[in-house]
Amino acid sequence: MEKNLVDLHTHSTASDGTDSPAELVARAHGAGLAAIALTDHDTLGGLEEGEEAARELGIGFIRGCEISTRSDAGEHHILGLWVPREAAPLENWLEAVRRRRNERNAEMVARLRALGFAITLEEVRARAKGSVGRPHMAALLVEKGYAEDRNEAFREYLGINGKAFVPKRVPAPEEAVRVLNEVGATAVLAHPFLNSPAPEMVEALARRLVDHGLDAIEAWHTSHSEAHTRECVDLAARLGLGLSGGSDYHGANKPGIRPGTGYGALRVPVTVLEALRKRRRARGLPC
């Protein structure tokens, strides 16, 4: 049992995970974690269920979300932690983000149909209990025999070089940080070394976002090597930022990752959560 560990980056069926929010919290509780944050993509839809399950099981719960953004340097994800229950500006903003994603989904399904695949958007939506995304398209391609497995579905059709791929239409990272600050959430630059950018590129982005209210960097992540984690820790120290970390658990959509551990030796000590709470208290924010 790992009562000294936390996981501040997880996903449920409210976006592209395969566990319901309650199931995800139960897994975290079963693993003995002290606390878990639910950070579904561009939605707050699973937070009430997750929070209620955490209350019943006696595990700490942080309301969150993960926002996809893009700049000239590529795609960046921003985590929001401690999203309040009353967050109308964020809710309305995310609704517009989801609307753009729905338009993208429709375009990708149209491209799949143009390739001769008997797939409809309604079928894709039926496989999603929350936000629709490419994992649901991949599942349908496998189910109908158009791809052998999820990896082939992404490689041939849904990935960045796939025949049906449509680029995301997403906001700038500065905008995401701004709206999270507006509702009193902690804005975290997620997995900055996910796609192995140069350290100077990560630092340039972080410095830019600090001016808009960035509060922390996700140093511990499934995709990060020990060297990446050290880079994040050093960068946070230089910029006066906090540190966060999590597994990026998606259930069966990312096999091998478990709440609180991720791949390999990833561990996020509860002291990371305590330090983030201390930063929030210093700003007069609830935690």
Side-chain angles (χ1 to χ4, degrees), residues 216-228:
I217 296 176
E218 188 175 47
W220 296 272
H221 183 265
T222 293
S223 68
H224 282 184
S225 65
E226 289 185 12
H228 290 150

Side-chain angles (χ1 to χ4, degrees), residues 64-179:
C65 64
E66 181 174 13
I67 302 172
S68 298
T69 73
R70 181 176 292 278
S71 74
D72 292 341
E75 184 173 331
H76 321 285
H77 289 191
I78 307 296
L79 293 174
L81 300 177
W82 287 283
V83 172
R85 290 177 185 81
E86 299 298 326
L90 177 60
E91 290 269 21
N92 295 338
W93 187 80
L94 288 176
E95 184 178 357
V97 170
R98 291 193 297 271
R99 186 165 58 248
R100 291 194 292 270
R101 184 175 61 235
N102 290 338
E103 292 168 355
R104 179 200 189 210
N105 289 336
E107 287 186 41
M108 291 187 72
V109 169
R111 292 191 180 193
L112 289 171
R113 290 177 62 82
L115 291 169
F117 299 157
I119 287 175
T120 67
L121 187 57
E122 288 68 28
E123 288 177 303
V124 176
R125 286 172 175 159
R127 275 148 186 79
K129 296 180 182 179
S131 300
V132 175
R134 289 182 295 165
H136 307 112
M137 297 180 200
L140 193 56
L141 288 173
V142 173
E143 179 183 317
K144 293 202 169 192
Y146 298 128
E148 183 175 344
D149 54 28
R150 182 180 183 275
N151 289 337
E152 182 182 355
F154 271 83
R155 184 177 65 252
E156 296 295 326
Y157 307 110
L158 305 175
I160 192 168
N161 296 314
K163 299 179 181 70
F165 180 76
V166 174
K168 291 181 179 179
R169 302 182 185 95
V170 295
E174 292 89 346
E175 188 180 355
V177 170
R178 176 193 57 75
V179 74

Side-chain angles (χ1 to χ4, degrees), residues 264-277:
L266 182 138
R267 299 290 188 276
V268 184
V270 71
T271 51
V272 170
L273 175 60
E274 292 168 352
L276 286 173
R277 283 176 168 153

Side-chain angles (χ1 to χ4, degrees), residues 7 9-13 15-20 23-24 27 36 38 40-41 135 150 222 247-260 262-263:
D7 193 335
H9 187 164
T10 68
H11 299 274
S12 75
T13 51
S15 62
D16 58 347
T18 57
D19 291 351
S20 71
E23 290 168 342
L24 170 58
R27 285 188 188 276
I36 186 171
L38 179 57
D40 277 308
H41 293 284
R150 182 180 183 275
T222 293
S247 66
D248 206 354
Y249 176 79
H250 282 70
N253 283 337
K254 286 191 176 182
I257 299 177
R258 294 173 297 165
Y263 296 128

Side-chain angles (χ1 to χ4, degrees), residues 184-227:
T186 291
V188 182
L189 177 59
H191 45 61
F193 287 98
L194 176 63
N195 296 314
S196 300
E200 55 268 25
M201 293 179 63
V202 172
E203 179 159 356
L205 173 65
R207 284 187 179 278
R208 214 168 69 229
L209 296 182
V210 165
D211 293 336
H212 294 267
L214 183 71
D215 195 59
I217 296 176
E218 188 175 47
W220 296 272
H221 183 265
T222 293
S223 68
H224 282 184
S225 65
E226 289 185 12

